[in-house]
Amino acid sequence: MTDSSIPKFHEKNREERIKIVESFAGLSKDDVKILKSNGGISFDEANHMVENVIGTLSFPLGIATNFKINGKDYLVPMVIEESSVVAAASKAAKLARKYGGFIMESDKSYSVGQVQVVDVDVKSAIPKVMKASDNILDLANSKSKTLSKMGKGAKEITCKELKTKSETMLIVEILIDVGDAMGANVTNTMCEGIAPLIEEITGGRALLRILSNYSTRRIVSGKAIFDKEEIGGEQVVDNILLAYEFAANDPYRAVTHNKGIMNGIIAVANSTGQDTRAIEAASHAYASKNGKYTSLTRWQKNKQGNLVGEIKIPMPVGIVGGIVNVHPMIKVCTKILGVKSAKELGCIIGAVGLAQNFSAIRALASEGIQKGHMKLHAKNIAISVGVPKSKMNEVVAKMIKEGNVSVTRANEILKEL
Ligand code: MEV
């Protein structure tokens, strides 16, 4: 199976859903066993990851259907606690298919490391560092044989003068092609590795030696077109554009608009074991890059009046190293995506962010967000109190009609029935 547009996936039971994913992604029997294991890691595994461990905590893993990205179909694993997100992504991806799905591209995976040099004469230090940049790069690359062997690794040294209240300091930046890794560790190792040489060259004192999470050299960008008729007509398109203008011009709205994008991005980042804080931090800084916090997406109409959405966002992700190689469920999720590179994963995550944003602003600019959201929420509540399939619609409809969607009410209705 290569088509990710699977009709009524949400109506299937767990067994059926897993069968579809198994056949789509060519999962092994062991992978399926892991999928059915509730996704856990053992206490011992957890205890090796962080400190003071007393247990583990699991989240729902859903599958977003319909995604076509750069001509390839994907079933996208999403780990998130919020209802509606997986459904919204799938719906947007379905609509985007009409004009070919999501067309995405990704920069190379360049990480930036920073060495802060203090107690230094910055003006005279900069040319010395630049003259020695080949030596500095060689030293940096000696710290990662793996990257060097692949023709990746440290590529460029730059310097900047930083005027502060305390003193004027020198910031030496090292640009590193980290390949398919997220690259935080190798970047930090290289920064620490080159610091003594930089001290020797500049006569200054290397203080901080750390990567920058402002990942402006690993940007993912892309777009999708949504047919005006399929999304409710010209008026809806125009309202979406007004909704976009609101986000583009008002930081209070932009933060919420971008939070909706993050619903998608972080859910896929979770399922594939990414450092979600790095993605969040970089994204919000990027949203403020022109001095005012604004939307990470852009929406406009094309000549035919169809809606065109674009996203541009830093994407520091990896498919090797860290938890990706350790956590059994994350390994299976990565296999479900079938990604061959960090760039490909970045494109998928960016596309899901754009899809999520489309669904949110389409709902907000038409019927409002609560209608669909409450329906799904009511269903989840009904399931949680054990409402059988035969009574599901009745219980959900009653809770929504009464405007009382709660565990208590679901229980009461169930008893009444
Ligand atoms: C809710 O998690 C996300 C939204 O608030 C996003 C938005 O307002 O665009 C619906």
Side-chain angles (χ1 to χ4, degrees):
M1 195 197 299
T2 50
D3 189 343
S4 67
S5 52
I6 296 150
K8 306 226 181 295
F9 187 77
H10 63 286
E11 287 179 10
K12 304 197 184 299
N13 63 32
R14 185 187 188 187
E15 214 39 64
E16 293 164 337
R17 290 178 192 157
I18 288 181
K19 273 236 146 4
I20 291 168
V21 175
E22 180 186 359
S23 122
F24 182 91
L27 299 183
S28 69
K29 293 285 166 251
D30 284 346
D31 296 332
V32 171
K33 223 192 238 167
I34 291 165
L35 278 180
K36 289 180 178 171
S37 71
N38 291 334
I41 46 171
S42 65
F43 172 80
D44 282 346
E45 285 166 321
N47 207 23
H48 286 128
M49 277 180 202
V50 302
E51 306 72 40
N52 302 350
V53 176
I54 58 165
T56 57
L57 184 155
S58 57
F59 277 90
L61 163 63
I63 294 287
T65 54
N66 300 317
F67 273 89
K68 189 186 266 297
I69 301 163
N70 294 337
K72 183 173 166 192
D73 275 48
Y74 295 92
L75 288 177
V76 183
M78 299 177 78
V79 169
I80 190 160
E81 89 298 345
E82 186 174 327
S83 62
S84 307
V85 169
V86 179
S90 307
K91 179 87 193 292
K94 186 173 180 186
L95 290 166
R97 289 180 83 87
K98 174 154 184 176
Y99 293 105
F102 298 82
I103 306 302
M104 306 296 299
E105 60 185 19
S106 168
D107 284 350
K108 275 194 171 164
S109 295
Y110 279 133
S111 162
V112 173
Q114 297 187 303
V115 179
Q116 176 196 25
V117 189
V118 297
D119 306 336
V120 66
D121 174 24
V122 177
K123 289 269 178 299
S124 66
I126 289 178
K128 289 183 204 156
V129 172
M130 294 317 293
K131 198 167 164 225
S133 59
D134 282 349
N135 288 347
I136 300 172
L137 289 173
D138 285 347
L139 180 60
N141 283 323
S142 71
K143 307 288 168 195
S144 171
K145 299 269 176 296
T146 320
L147 286 181
S148 300
K149 259 191 235 150
M150 293 188 300
K152 301 187 185 300
K155 296 290 173 198
E156 199 183 312
I157 297 288
T158 49
C159 290
K160 65 187 185 198
E161 182 184 79
L162 192 66
K163 292 197 166 101
T164 75
K165 254 195 253 162
S166 320
E167 63 174 275
T168 298
M169 49 189 81
L170 167 65
I171 309 299
V172 178
E173 291 186 339
I174 179 164
L175 190 68
I176 306 161
D177 183 348
V178 292
D180 285 323
M182 188 275 186
N185 270 334
V186 73
T187 304
N188 294 340
T189 303
M190 286 187 180
C191 286
E192 292 189 2
I194 62 173
L197 178 57
I198 289 175
E199 285 185 329
E200 201 183 293
I201 295 165
T202 61
R205 181 164 63 92
L207 193 55
L208 268 58
R209 297 142 297 159
I210 187 80
L211 95 154
S212 166
N213 280 120
Y214 193 22
S215 308
T216 56
R217 299 294 300 263
R218 45 206 309 194
I219 300 287
V220 156
S221 56
K223 70 172 193 175
I225 301 172
F226 298 89
D227 185 79
K228 64 171 186 272
E229 299 309 333
E230 288 190 358
I231 63 177
E234 251 170 63
Q235 185 67 53
V236 174
V237 172
D238 288 342
N239 285 344
I240 290 174
L241 296 184
L242 290 172
Y244 161 64
E245 288 298 343
F246 184 10
N249 290 286
D250 175 42
Y252 276 80
R253 172 59 204 150
V255 170
T256 319
H257 177 99
N258 289 343
K259 187 272 181 186
I261 296 171
M262 288 300 151
N263 279 345
I265 287 184
I266 298 304
V268 188
N270 280 333
S271 77
T272 54
Q274 306 304 318
D275 180 341
T276 56
R277 289 81 60 210
I279 300 173
E280 288 275 6
S283 298
H284 297 299
Y286 196 68
S288 315
K289 68 180 188 308
N290 295 326
K292 188 177 170 191
Y293 190 93
T294 187
S295 166
L296 286 162
T297 53
R298 213 157 68 95
W299 293 91
Q300 54 198 312
K301 265 198 291 198
N302 66 11
K303 280 199 197 98
Q304 294 72 41
N306 296 321
L307 183 70
V308 183
E310 289 171 310
I311 189 166
K312 201 166 180 198
I313 193 163
M315 198 53 69
V317 295
I319 59 163
V320 293
I323 196 174
V324 184
N325 296 123
V326 178
H327 196 297
M329 190 63 119
I330 285 168
K331 283 201 243 174
V332 177
C333 287
T334 311
K335 194 165 171 187
I336 292 171
L337 281 175
V339 283
K340 300 277 180 292
S341 67
K343 283 167 67 172
E344 188 182 357
L345 176 61
C347 286
I348 296 169
I349 298 180
V352 177
L354 181 59
Q356 213 70 54
N357 184 225
F358 164 78
S359 282
I361 54 174
R362 197 210 58 77
L364 287 166
S366 43
E367 75 274 6
I369 206 77
Q370 284 306 78
K371 196 175 156 207
H373 186 71
M374 287 320 280
K375 196 169 165 199
L376 279 170
H377 183 50
K379 196 170 170 196
N380 291 342
I381 295 252
I383 291 169
S384 77
V385 302
V387 172
K389 234 181 177 175
S390 56
K391 301 261 182 282
M392 188 61 76
N393 287 346
E394 223 172 323
V395 176
V396 167
K398 208 158 176 17
M399 281 198 287
I400 288 174
K401 191 162 172 230
E402 292 171 357
N404 184 1
V405 179
S406 65
V407 169
T408 314
R409 190 60 193 132
N411 267 318
E412 286 167 2
I413 301 171
L414 187 59
K415 273 194 201 127
E416 286 163 21
L417 291 175

